[in-house]
Amino acid sequence: MEIKKKIKQTWNNWRASNSDAVKILVTGGTGYIGSHTVVELQQAGFEVYIVDNLSNSNIDVLNGIEKITGKMPVFENIDCTDYVAMDRFLSKHEGIQAIIHFAASKAVGESVKKPLLYYRNNVVSLINQLELMSIHHIKGIVFSSSCTVYGQPDVLPVTEAAPRKTALSPYGNTKQICEDIIMDTIYSNDQLKSIILRYFNPIGAHPSAYIGELPNGVPNNLIPFVTQTAAGIRDELKVFGSDYNTPDGTCIRDYINVVDLAKAHVVAVQRMLENKTKKNVEIFNLGTGRGLSVMEIIKTFEKVNKVAVPHQIVEHREGDIEQVWADPTYANEELGWKAEESVEDTLKSAWKWQKYIMKKADK
Ligand code: UFG
């Protein structure tokens, strides 16, 4: 609490001496984590500019953001791999001080089938942002990375010092390559700063239920599949394996509330702008520090929402890691940020969101 108050105080002082609202570019700002981050940024007083090609999101997300914050962010439909369009956008909106770069493709299975799509979307778009930062005098970039870079860690909970393991998919490889590109670029240019955030498993939705996760087609991730099964859209959830070396035999992950995750981006961007970073590139794990199994998630979801999730144990899913959860101490202490929402409330928010989108579709 004490650290949080201090961060708020220094931020308020910094804002007072930089009287205009601070402009932030959020690439992929209509996506799942992006939209929740835009809400938190706007609520913290930032002026948000979104570019997104809507390849895995819906323009209607902007209305959800406006409903929550009372403010419509600036938006343009731009593909971040389009250097010329990005350059034009940044020239038009002068004075952007930092980028939060979410725009990327993220389906592990799809990346195996379409590797070049993933290398182009994820790597080229990052290179464009880094090149344009120097041209447009943008000070820092917050990058969305993933705990996927650790593979199956040898020691749990996993700290930022753990070695990265060979990626199991082109998607995972793009995250490692992007981290390396950032480090090389920042070390070559001491005017730039970056904070790399390694997300564990973000779940849930905004408590208002005006924004949440909207997967295209059949969901790959656990929680959207759980909510759609509970809603009767899917007949049954397949639990991928029950003979792993874990207490109940199902895989373990560190599930983090998406609003908690979004808040970490606000803290990270403030830290860069106030020149509080200890190094020009910093890396933080964003997780709760608690691992939960697939069966624990299903049971908790059923209990808190009083709804059944029909499920069946099936074979392992190829490429799944047995167990991983974060040691978030470094983020807790350095950023003064901590995941606060309980998994119970988070799973309630996921169900509330599922019911909200179904009601909306009925209208
Ligand atoms: N699972 C099921 N049934 C399903 C879906 C998932 O049993 O229908 C299980 C998985 O086997 C896994 C757990 O639920 O044990 C979580 O799976 P998710 O697909 O939700 O998440 P992952 O941990 O596999 O991967 C996610 C993102 C990746 C990211 C990774 C680490 O999808 O993009 O977290 O950050 F790289």
Side-chain angles (χ1 to χ4, degrees):
M1 209 56 197
E2 219 18 64
I3 315 177
K4 269 193 183 166
K5 263 192 205 152
K6 239 190 255 170
I7 289 177
K8 193 146 199 216
Q9 190 56 51
T10 34
W11 175 244
N12 287 341
N13 294 345
W14 189 85
R15 284 282 309 282
S17 55
N18 292 265
S19 51
D20 290 337
V22 179
K23 298 178 181 177
I24 306 291
L25 170 63
V26 180
T27 74
T30 58
Y32 175 42
I33 309 172
S35 58
H36 289 81
T37 301
V38 169
V39 164
E40 296 305 316
L41 286 167
Q42 292 199 153
Q43 288 180 335
F46 288 99
E47 199 171 308
V48 178
Y49 294 75
I50 299 177
V51 295
D52 200 309
N53 66 358
L54 302 176
S55 60
N56 194 26
S57 61
N58 192 303
I59 189 80
D60 192 38
V61 169
L62 296 174
N63 293 322
I65 293 171
E66 190 186 22
K67 268 191 182 165
I68 299 168
T69 63
K71 197 174 173 208
M72 183 61 90
V74 175
F75 168 82
E76 254 189 64
N77 184 335
I78 292 178
D79 188 322
C80 289
T81 61
D82 184 342
Y83 181 94
V84 174
M86 283 303 302
D87 189 26
R88 202 181 304 127
F89 182 88
L90 291 168
S91 302
K92 189 162 123 194
H93 302 289
E94 269 182 3
I96 285 175
Q97 300 204 23
I99 300 177
I100 304 184
H101 183 47
F102 291 105
S105 301
K106 62 166 190 173
V108 176
E110 184 188 45
S111 79
V112 177
K113 294 194 184 109
K114 302 177 183 168
L116 294 180
L117 176 79
Y118 274 66
Y119 287 110
R120 175 176 296 281
N121 279 352
N122 297 5
V123 180
V124 174
S125 66
L126 173 71
I127 294 172
N128 283 349
Q129 310 314 310
L130 291 169
E131 284 185 340
L132 289 164
M133 280 171 73
S134 296
I135 296 168
H136 294 275
H137 312 291
I138 298 172
K139 295 171 189 160
I141 182 164
V142 176
F143 178 69
S144 301
S145 190
S146 161
C147 69
T148 195
V149 301
Y150 298 119
Q152 177 58 66
D154 300 324
V155 180
L156 287 168
V158 62
T159 70
E160 292 83 353
R164 297 186 322 188
K165 296 269 177 80
T166 306
L168 293 176
S169 68
Y171 160 76
N173 206 21
T174 66
K175 290 294 168 192
Q176 297 197 358
I177 291 170
C178 286
E179 287 193 353
D180 291 343
I181 291 174
I182 290 174
M183 296 204 215
D184 290 344
T185 308
I186 305 290
Y187 286 127
S188 75
N189 181 346
D190 61 10
Q191 300 302 304
L192 299 181
K193 282 189 192 302
S194 180
I195 294 186
I196 293 172
L197 300 176
R198 290 179 177 161
Y199 310 150
F200 283 69
N201 287 51
I203 60 166
H206 194 270
S208 65
Y210 289 140
I211 54 171
E213 189 171 9
L214 251 188
N216 277 343
V218 182
N220 290 306
N221 294 117
L222 179 62
I223 299 305
F225 213 106
V226 165
T227 60
Q228 291 192 10
T229 307
I233 300 168
R234 313 273 159 212
D235 290 340
E236 130 187 301
L237 167 77
K238 292 185 175 66
V239 175
F240 297 131
S242 64
D243 56 355
Y244 282 100
N245 186 21
T246 60
D248 67 16
T250 63
C251 291
I252 293 178
R253 297 286 183 273
D254 186 333
Y255 295 95
I256 173 169
N257 180 284
V258 68
V259 176
D260 277 338
L261 188 70
K263 287 178 178 162
H265 294 76
V266 177
V267 177
V269 101
Q270 288 171 343
R271 181 177 172 89
M272 282 191 321
L273 293 176
E274 291 172 42
N275 277 320
K276 294 268 172 65
T277 54
K278 295 234 164 98
K279 290 184 283 182
N280 285 352
V281 185
E282 292 183 321
I283 300 180
F284 294 101
N285 278 347
L286 297 183
T288 65
R290 180 184 179 202
L292 290 171
S293 73
V294 175
M295 281 314 297
E296 283 175 309
I297 288 285
I298 296 171
K299 284 187 186 143
T300 310
F301 184 91
E302 290 185 320
K303 189 172 158 212
V304 298
N305 293 312
K306 299 182 183 59
V307 61
V309 180
H311 55 276
Q312 197 205 138
I313 310 284
V314 299
E315 287 302 296
H316 290 191
R317 180 170 71 177
E318 207 187 329
D320 258 345
I321 283 156
E322 184 174 84
Q323 45 189 322
V324 62
W325 65 94
D327 180 339
T329 310
Y330 188 52
N332 297 163
E333 290 178 354
E334 265 304 316
L335 295 178
W337 164 92
K338 201 171 189 312
E340 282 172 345
E341 272 312 320
S342 66
V343 71
E344 286 81 6
D345 284 345
T346 304
L347 292 174
K348 276 189 197 167
S349 73
W351 183 228
K352 186 175 171 187
W353 163 246
Q354 179 67 49
K355 288 190 289 185
Y356 173 77
I357 45 179
M358 289 194 306
K359 208 167 149 196
K360 227 169 132 194
D362 277 351
K363 277 185 190 165

